Amino acid sequence: MPVEFIGYIGTQHQSEIHPASGPVIDRDYVEAVARAHDEGGFDRALVAFGSTSPESQLVVAHAASVTKRWAS
């Protein structure tokens, strides 16, 4: 059975120990995380979708535009 690695792309550097700060969508962060997933060989990446989160389709489109594997 093949193994598929799935990552996660957030819109800014935040977690339980890193409080959110700055713009809601940090383009540099999205680009860095997308490229790290691309270079790391991840097959897919999840992007959160919710009524109070940034439009996920735009985040996905931007992430794909800066990667090699996902842009094709």
Side-chain angles (χ1 to χ4, degrees):
M1 179 183 327
V3 175
E4 184 175 67
F5 292 97
I6 302 174
Y8 173 75
I9 299 175
T11 58
Q12 61 181 196
H13 181 69
Q14 73 177 46
S15 69
E16 291 80 10
I17 60 171
H18 297 282
S21 63
V24 175
I25 300 178
D26 182 344
R27 289 175 45 193
D28 294 335
Y29 179 77
V30 171
E31 291 174 12
V33 172
R35 286 187 179 116
H37 282 73
D38 191 34
E39 294 168 9
F42 280 75
D43 297 309
R44 298 170 194 261
L46 301 174
V47 175
F49 172 78
S51 61
T52 59
S53 62
E55 178 56 52
S56 60
Q57 294 294 323
L58 297 176
V59 176
V60 169
H62 184 63
S65 75
V66 299
T67 59
K68 295 176 185 168
R69 292 182 62 206
W70 298 337
S72 56

